[in-house]
Amino acid sequence: MASPRRNASHGEAARSDSSPTYTPATPRSRFAAEFSPEAFDEPGAGEAPSAKESVTATVRFRPLSSREIRQGEEIAWYADGETIVRSEHNPNIAYAYDRVFGPTTTTQQVYDVAAQHVVGGAMQGINGTIFAYGVTSSGKTHTMHGDQRSPGIIPLAVKDAFGIIQETLNREFLLRVSYLEIYNEVVNDLLNPAGKNLRIREDLQGTFVEGIKEEVVLSPTHVLSLIAAGEEHRHIGSTNFNLLSSRSHTIFTLTVESSPFCESNEGETVTFSQLNLIDLAGSESSRAETTGARRKEGSYINKSLLTLGTVISKLTDGKATHVPFRNSKLTRLLQSSLSGQGRVSLICTVTPASSNSEETHNTLKFAHRSKHIEIQALQNKIIDEKSLIKKYQSEIRQLREELEQLKRGIFTATPLKDVTEDNIILWKQKVILFLLSHLMLYGFVVFHFIYHA
Ligand SMILES: Nc1ncnc2c1ncn2[C@@H]1O[C@H](COP(=O)(O)OP(=O)(O)OP(=O)(O)O)[C@@H](O)[C@H]1O
């Protein structure tokens, strides 16, 4: 087995840029935006646009699996420093990315570089999309979902989002989630087993899935339990490359609304954004010996990933007049993310194994092309009537008033002759029951009291 060449210096990599595929890496500081409460004062949609950003493209190597080691697999591609991937067999073939993660990198390290700025942006009203792309068994689900020992980007993002809420004392947030899969070009709701074959619609704000269930969420544990329940419905199958292969693309969406925290929120603008966390199904190798249902799934997966590739090529081409977003459900749903607004992070997962060398090369070329899509990180602001947070805030105000009236009823009413100690206790219980029923009805109220009471 050939050993990977390790930690070659950046200078070394830069000297070999005679390769036609080499382009300089993007400095990290350009995209690693820190979260700051002042960021809410940035210009919003319709105002002066912010500087163009490009898609953050990173590559994550997984280690050789024990099966691959047993089979005597050799290393075909390796991380040459922090930003270059190089071919073991042809050192002139090298690609540069925003960051390359070697096989020992933890998902937390991947998160810090490839996801944190997108999650931070979403909490400030900037749409964000993070997706894992790669061939089957390259580590997409490991990266996006992870497990107890090594939580993936999705649980880390959820934890981060709630952490940001706790640190942002001057704003109120309302979070809701939805979770869907695209299986054989059919959109299914993973949070609602009855929600099958849902339609994709369009309005002025972009594409959306009609009738998808959205749950208001109150804590990281709440979100993770919803995801776990959703996972039960996801299509997973065994292929000869992966015992637990994802046979569908999944999109987990965290919708964030926030507004300044003050007694009367009348007239305050609400920021609104969506964070899409996507675990793509793996592109199927031509060597996969699949039959029946697996083969049908594989051809749908390959077709939609091919369309994604075409869309990305057209977007980076500059001269393309037509971008075929409508050719697959996946690209239709990603249309607004890819066509200009919000932050996008593409994490390409690859195996170093020589038996996958060809497919890995395709993934590397895809990631390299994606880096050239230009996007703008605009902050979305919405008008009051459309905002769920405004609706809940006004209900809280109304509840407060009703509570005041009830209190006044108990404590200022002239004592009647037949008012006993038992009657007063009964009245108090009624007040508590009244409050509890409203609290349960609107999780947001609980949220409000936890973070701002
Ligand atoms: N970075 C990593 N470190 C250690 N093990 C990894 C890493 N990435 C993936 N693995 C392991 O490799 C196997 C395949 O990974 P995973 O299921 O995430 O692949 P996938 O790309 O999602 O595949 P598919 O497209 O078939 O669903 C799993 O056993 C996983 O635990």
Side-chain angles (χ1 to χ4, degrees):
M1 186 175 81
S3 63
R5 243 173 286 166
R6 277 171 221 270
N7 296 330
S9 73
H10 287 239
E12 216 178 345
R15 275 199 300 278
S16 56
D17 63 1
S18 52
S19 151
T21 50
Y22 181 87
T23 54
T26 311
R28 193 196 160 195
S29 57
R30 194 157 74 78
F31 58 84
E34 291 295 318
F35 181 85
S36 80
E38 293 75 41
F40 284 99
D41 302 328
E42 279 175 9
E47 298 172 43
S50 58
K52 293 247 181 202
E53 297 182 16
S54 56
V55 169
T56 303
T58 53
V59 173
R60 182 183 199 185
F61 277 92
R62 74 157 164 76
L64 284 178
S65 67
S66 40
R67 184 169 103 156
E68 288 165 339
I69 291 170
R70 269 199 315 277
Q71 288 170 346
E73 290 269 2
E74 298 198 337
I75 298 282
W77 296 91
Y78 65 97
D80 183 357
E82 286 199 325
T83 55
I84 312 285
V85 174
R86 197 178 292 284
S87 160
E88 181 68 41
H89 304 299
N90 182 352
N92 282 332
I93 301 180
Y95 296 91
Y97 302 94
D98 291 307
R99 188 64 77 90
V100 178
F101 305 104
T104 56
T105 314
T106 63
T107 305
Q108 180 66 58
Q109 289 167 319
V110 176
Y111 179 85
D112 292 344
V113 174
Q116 204 283 328
H117 66 293
V118 184
V119 176
M123 299 308 286
Q124 294 164 9
I126 298 167
N127 289 337
T129 302
I130 303 174
F131 57 104
Y133 177 97
V135 294
T136 182
S137 193
S138 58
K140 296 178 297 297
T141 304
H142 176 83
T143 299
M144 293 310 286
H145 287 271
D147 51 33
Q148 288 284 3
R149 226 166 15 95
S150 163
I153 300 285
I154 296 178
L156 293 174
V158 167
K159 198 170 132 230
D160 208 8
F162 279 93
I164 288 171
I165 292 177
Q166 259 173 320
E167 283 162 19
T168 315
L169 300 176
N170 58 347
R171 292 187 79 82
E172 279 186 305
F173 288 83
L174 177 67
L175 302 188
R176 51 206 146 107
V177 299
S178 64
Y179 194 25
L180 63 83
E181 72 167 357
I182 305 172
Y183 176 70
N184 289 356
E185 279 301 280
V186 166
V187 177
N188 297 324
D189 189 344
L190 292 176
L191 296 186
N192 171 22
K196 297 253 183 281
N197 202 357
L198 302 179
R199 287 179 62 193
I200 299 176
R201 306 287 301 263
E202 261 164 68
D203 68 8
L204 287 175
Q205 259 120 44
T207 46
F208 65 95
V209 177
E210 190 175 55
I212 190 145
K213 183 171 180 183
E214 285 194 310
E215 290 256 6
V216 172
V217 287
L218 310 172
S219 66
T221 327
H222 186 191
V223 184
L224 298 184
S225 66
L226 288 172
I227 294 175
E231 281 298 293
E232 298 284 307
H233 305 297
R234 184 179 186 181
H235 283 87
I236 290 177
S238 170
T239 65
N240 51 354
F241 286 95
N242 192 355
L243 279 179
L244 291 173
S245 181
S246 312
R247 310 308 293 161
S248 62
H249 309 302
T250 60
I251 305 184
F252 171 76
T253 305
L254 182 71
T255 302
V256 185
E257 278 186 41
S258 83
S259 75
F261 181 64
C262 54
E263 273 308 301
S264 155
N265 293 76
E266 301 292 338
E268 292 290 352
T269 356
V270 172
T271 56
F272 174 94
S273 58
Q274 288 196 311
L275 175 66
N276 295 311
L277 304 175
I278 302 171
D279 181 14
L280 295 175
S283 54
E284 204 79 15
S285 159
S286 50
R287 292 169 294 116
E289 292 156 23
T290 48
T291 50
R294 288 291 98 87
R295 181 186 294 237
K296 186 176 167 201
E297 290 162 358
S299 75
Y300 275 115
I301 294 168
N302 283 352
K303 186 171 164 272
S304 63
L305 291 174
L306 192 71
T307 308
L308 180 63
T310 313
V311 162
I312 299 236
S313 292
K314 299 264 179 189
L315 286 171
T316 50
D317 171 0
K319 290 193 280 290
T321 47
H322 171 70
V323 183
F325 286 110
R326 298 182 77 89
N327 284 6
S328 80
K329 297 265 163 69
L330 177 67
T331 45
R332 261 196 98 186
L333 284 173
L334 291 181
Q335 179 166 354
S336 37
S337 313
L338 293 177
S339 56
Q341 288 186 14
R343 292 191 173 140
V344 179
S345 174
L346 169 68
I347 304 169
C348 283
T349 53
V350 292
T351 154
S354 49
S355 63
N356 266 306
S357 178
E358 184 84 32
E359 287 92 344
T360 300
H361 199 177
N362 289 336
T363 302
L364 293 171
K365 285 191 267 191
F366 174 82
H368 197 257
R369 269 202 310 274
S370 308
K371 240 174 79 64
H372 299 290
I373 299 179
E374 284 201 335
I375 45 173
Q376 271 177 306
L378 290 182
Q379 200 176 37
N380 302 315
K381 294 193 169 155
I382 54 170
I383 39 168
D384 283 7
E385 304 84 70
K386 284 210 143 182
S387 150
L388 198 59
I389 199 170
K390 284 278 159 195
K391 180 172 163 251
Y392 287 176
Q393 278 165 347
S394 105
E395 295 201 8
I396 289 176
R397 265 196 305 280
Q398 202 182 327
L399 278 173
R400 279 209 177 111
E401 279 164 26
E402 286 178 32
L403 177 61
E404 281 306 313
Q405 280 166 13
L406 273 165
K407 271 201 221 151
R408 274 199 296 276
I410 288 177
F411 299 119
T412 62
T414 322
L416 301 171
K417 259 199 269 153
D418 59 347
V419 173
T420 63
E421 193 67 16
D422 284 353
N423 278 344
I424 292 178
I425 289 172
L426 202 66
W427 275 358
K428 283 188 176 168
Q429 280 174 350
K430 276 186 181 165
V431 172
I432 290 167
L433 274 177
F434 167 86
L435 277 175
L436 275 179
S437 63
H438 281 69
L439 283 173
M440 292 181 71
L441 194 58
Y442 294 120
F444 173 67
V445 181
V446 181
F447 209 60
H448 176 92
F449 281 115
I450 289 173
Y451 290 106
H452 298 293

